[in-house]
Amino acid sequence: QTVNAGESVEMGITIQTYTQGVFEWFHNDLPIPNTNSSTLLLSQVSKSDAGTYFCEFENSCEKIKSSTGLLSILESGNQEFDLSSGWSS
């Protein structure tokens, strides 16, 4: 996903389980503190928020890791070039 600097980004994971557990989000393989929720909201993103994100869910029965997503941040006034579709903002 690509967003402009200053925008908000929301990521989420859906788990179907009968046992409560703990969620933990990671940015560039490092745990993000205080993220025990199935959703992660990043407000007013900046270049430092760019990178990979994933979530882990763990309870007494299982540990599940989500797929990894890539977040790219465009600085104000920049455009991203996509070879498949030409210029886009």
Side-chain angles (χ1 to χ4, degrees):
Q1 181 177 8
T2 301
V3 298
N4 293 313
E7 293 183 349
S8 295
V9 175
E10 185 173 352
M11 302 175 207
I13 182 174
T14 302
I15 301 291
Q16 294 182 343
T17 182
Y18 296 105
T19 306
Q20 291 187 359
V22 176
F23 293 90
E24 184 170 33
W25 286 88
F26 293 79
H27 175 226
N28 294 330
D29 294 323
L30 298 174
I32 303 171
N34 305 314
T35 56
N36 185 21
S37 174
S38 62
T39 59
L40 176 66
L41 177 62
L42 304 174
S43 300
Q44 299 182 347
V45 296
S46 64
K47 281 288 191 185
S48 65
D49 295 308
T52 58
Y53 287 84
F54 67 90
C55 182
E56 288 184 349
F57 171 82
E58 186 172 7
N59 62 22
S60 59
C61 302
E62 59 192 334
K63 184 173 185 176
I64 300 169
K65 179 182 174 185
S66 72
S67 58
T68 300
L70 177 64
L71 180 63
S72 299
I73 310 296
L74 295 176
E75 299 259 354
S76 178
N78 288 349
Q79 290 193 340
E80 178 180 41
F81 184 69
D82 181 346
L83 292 175
S84 65
S85 63
W87 288 99
S88 62
S89 57

